[in-house]
Amino acid sequence: MNKERDYSIDIFKGLLVIGMVYCHILQFFSNPMVFTGAQRVIDVVNIVTFTGFVFSFGYVGQLAYYNRPFKAVYGRMLSTALKTLIAFYISGTYYRLFLDRKPLSWSTIKPILILQDIPGWSEFLISFSLTMLVGLVLFKPLTWLVERKFKFWVVVVLLLVTTYLPYDKVTMNQLGLLIGTRKFASFPVVQYFPYYLIGMYAARYKLGWNWKFFIGSVVSSGLFITYVIAKHGLPERFPPSIFWILSSAFLIYVYFLVAKMLVNRLRYTGFLLVLGQNVLLYLLLSNMMIFTLKHNQGQLLLSTMECLWFDVGILLLISFFIRITISTKLGAMVALKSEGVNH
């Protein structure tokens, strides 16, 4: 294995993939009114998953890009962002065709391409893409910022304050993707960007167990819990309030520490590496499978446990696709080398 790669972050992402696919299955095929545990699972996964991925993008970015010259890495950063954008186009179009039953026409596809239409259960993909693009555009300022700890945390706090922006006044969809809006469900880049920065920080300073981070995460999530107790409900998610943004801090840190422990047990947890190293493929294909099944069997109702088995089945199926694809590539390479020898 590549000694320079931090495999713990792959395990971290693998855990998030399992949760996100499970959550999507519950949302489409379970009913919280019938299966009371479903909503609790959905809420917990919603709290940790998107911010967890944003954290991992910052972490990976710091290791793979930000400690290298811009000219050497901007192409790979741009390529990753564009691949994620294409995944959004595919997932969004699939949603409109299979769930909304819209015609396959330019009038259906064009609004998605220009980000005027943000189909459901695909909005996280465009936010992933835009987060990476922002990380690319701000390459030099971010590189500078992560080396200055006091200024770094000041910027993190200032970004949290953006949750108080007047969302009602944001009427342009493309702008809403960046700073939030009430027009549609989105994960605005600016409000979630603190987790990207903290991911960079964690990688730059080789974060492991740290009592200051532990206390900070407990306080952050504690503010969220205090809100829930006082208001008897969850804070606003679309667009996000500051309490929603803070809610995941403790769980992300727990996931992070668990991943650090599991990396020493790859003999038993190696499948998480596959999930974490192929996040985009798992999220895109699982969406397509879920949309297709919902289109064909709209009345299907599953318990929380049945949804979990469904989650396992989808992940195993996609893993099989990956395995046969890799095997095919290796077979083709061997054949080409053999032909070269024979000739």
Side-chain angles (χ1 to χ4, degrees):
M1 293 193 298
N2 184 356
K3 294 182 179 180
E4 295 182 358
R5 187 182 184 103
D6 187 340
Y7 288 94
S8 68
I9 201 64
D10 292 322
I11 291 177
F12 177 88
K13 291 187 291 181
L15 294 171
L16 295 176
V17 168
I18 293 173
M20 177 170 271
V21 176
Y22 185 34
C23 181
H24 286 177
I25 293 170
L26 285 168
Q27 289 171 325
F28 277 96
F29 300 109
S30 190
N31 185 339
M33 300 297 292
V34 179
F35 306 105
T36 55
Q39 191 58 53
R40 296 190 186 96
V41 175
I42 290 171
D43 289 339
V44 171
V45 174
N46 281 340
I47 284 170
V48 70
T49 303
F50 183 81
T51 46
F53 277 122
V54 174
F55 170 89
S56 72
F57 297 155
Y59 193 98
V60 171
Q62 178 61 35
L63 293 177
Y65 307 129
Y66 292 111
N67 58 357
R68 292 175 170 81
F70 178 75
K71 290 182 179 180
V73 299
Y74 78 90
R76 284 191 294 150
M77 295 182 73
L78 182 60
S79 174
T80 301
L82 291 178
K83 288 177 183 176
T84 312
L85 176 62
I86 293 171
F88 162 74
Y89 288 151
I90 296 171
S91 178
T93 301
Y94 216 86
Y95 183 93
R96 289 294 180 236
L97 296 180
F98 279 77
L99 295 186
D100 290 344
R101 300 176 185 272
K102 288 192 173 184
L104 179 58
S105 63
W106 183 240
S107 62
T108 297
I109 297 174
K110 179 183 176 182
I112 298 174
L113 294 179
I114 62 175
L115 307 183
Q116 184 63 37
D117 178 23
I118 312 297
W121 283 270
S122 304
E123 63 279 308
F124 66 94
L125 290 168
I126 185 59
S127 293
F128 288 167
S129 178
L130 292 175
T131 297
M132 295 174 194
L133 285 174
V134 169
L136 171 61
V137 171
L138 299 180
F139 185 94
K140 291 187 177 179
L142 294 180
T143 304
W144 177 88
L145 185 64
V146 78
E147 298 295 333
R148 293 158 177 82
K149 292 184 178 181
F150 178 77
K151 293 181 176 65
F152 175 92
W153 291 109
V154 169
V155 170
V156 168
V157 172
L158 290 176
L159 287 171
L160 291 174
V161 174
T162 63
T163 53
Y164 292 98
L165 287 174
Y167 293 126
D168 292 324
K169 295 183 179 180
V170 181
T171 58
M172 188 170 72
N173 284 17
Q174 294 85 346
L175 182 61
L177 292 170
L178 291 173
I179 64 173
T181 180
R182 297 193 189 281
K183 286 188 63 180
F184 59 92
S186 67
F187 300 91
V189 174
V190 171
Q191 283 80 353
Y192 284 96
F193 208 70
Y195 285 96
Y196 187 93
L197 293 179
I198 293 171
M200 291 180 60
Y201 188 97
R204 169 62 181 83
Y205 297 103
K206 296 180 173 58
L207 180 69
W209 164 256
N210 182 293
W211 71 269
K212 292 181 180 178
F213 261 79
F214 175 76
I215 296 297
S217 69
V218 169
V219 170
S220 297
S221 294
L223 291 172
F224 159 75
I225 293 172
T226 301
Y227 178 96
V228 172
I229 294 173
K231 300 292 185 178
H232 304 288
L234 295 174
E236 190 173 24
R237 183 187 180 204
F238 299 121
S241 70
I242 190 169
F243 296 101
W244 181 264
I245 295 295
L246 293 174
S247 65
S248 59
F250 178 71
L251 286 177
I252 288 177
Y253 194 40
V254 170
Y255 270 49
F256 181 73
L257 293 177
V258 168
K260 289 285 187 183
M261 290 188 292
L262 292 178
V263 77
N264 296 318
R265 296 171 175 81
L266 287 181
R267 180 179 178 182
Y268 307 103
T269 61
F271 70 98
L272 290 172
L273 283 180
V274 180
L275 297 179
Q277 292 172 358
N278 298 277
V279 168
L280 191 57
L281 183 62
Y282 279 98
L283 297 184
L284 176 59
L285 291 185
S286 64
N287 264 9
M288 295 171 69
M289 292 176 183
I290 291 169
F291 296 165
T292 301
L293 187 60
K294 187 66 177 179
H295 173 81
N296 292 323
Q297 301 188 42
Q299 301 305 313
L300 181 63
L301 183 64
L302 302 175
S303 69
T304 51
M305 183 55 65
E306 288 171 332
C307 286
L308 181 58
W309 283 116
F310 189 8
D311 182 16
V312 172
I314 284 181
L315 297 178
L316 287 176
L317 183 58
I318 298 172
S319 298
F320 175 71
F321 292 158
I322 293 173
R323 178 64 63 89
I324 61 175
T325 301
I326 293 174
S327 298
T328 302
K329 287 182 178 179
L330 290 174
M333 291 174 62
V334 170
L336 287 173
K337 289 182 179 180
S338 299
E339 289 181 6
V341 172
N342 294 331
H343 288 292

